[in-house]
Amino acid sequence: MTKPNLPTNRYRILRTNFTDTYPLVIDTETKAEDIQSAAHQRIRAATDLLETFSCLTLEHADLKDISHITNALYLLVQDGCDLLEAAQHVQLQPEQPQI
């Protein structure tokens, strides 16, 4: 895949994008708290799904269902990690002087 023509200092690409157009990006000019909130939402959803999945018995599960759950968990956790990395990057940036 080729990199999109986005300003690298503002937008971070989510690793879960599967196309060359990268429709999902993180705007690093957003407040770190908002980026962390989005990360928390995804990681919480993955945790809830894992908790539900751990209560199920695999003897009645279809292999395609396990694949679907695994894919959903991957997307949620990877996006959460990308968001946390972006939030850390935003927090480490020096304050821009007010003009």
Side-chain angles (χ1 to χ4, degrees):
M1 273 188 237
T2 59
K3 293 272 185 185
N5 191 13
L6 295 173
T8 56
N9 57 341
R10 178 170 180 177
Y11 297 103
R12 292 184 72 138
I13 298 166
L14 288 170
R15 287 178 247 184
T16 55
N17 284 309
F18 291 109
T19 66
D20 289 335
T21 59
Y22 300 96
L24 299 175
V25 295
I26 302 166
D27 184 353
T28 61
E29 290 185 9
T30 302
K31 293 187 297 185
E33 297 84 23
D34 292 341
I35 298 172
Q36 288 172 336
S37 178
H40 180 263
Q41 180 184 32
R42 282 154 181 77
I43 294 169
R44 171 56 46 208
T47 302
D48 292 346
L49 185 55
L50 278 169
E51 186 176 321
T52 300
F53 191 49
S54 70
C55 297
L56 300 175
T57 60
L58 294 179
E59 62 190 46
H60 299 296
D62 191 306
L63 285 179
K64 71 175 180 161
D65 294 332
I66 295 171
S67 175
H68 293 167
I69 291 168
T70 304
N71 187 50
L73 287 168
Y74 166 73
L75 289 172
L76 290 167
V77 172
Q78 185 60 62
D79 285 0
C81 288
D82 287 347
L83 285 158
L84 286 174
E85 287 175 12
Q88 184 177 27
H89 174 77
V90 169
Q91 288 175 329
L92 294 175
Q93 293 304 308
E95 291 280 327
Q96 296 295 327
Q98 298 291 326
I99 297 176

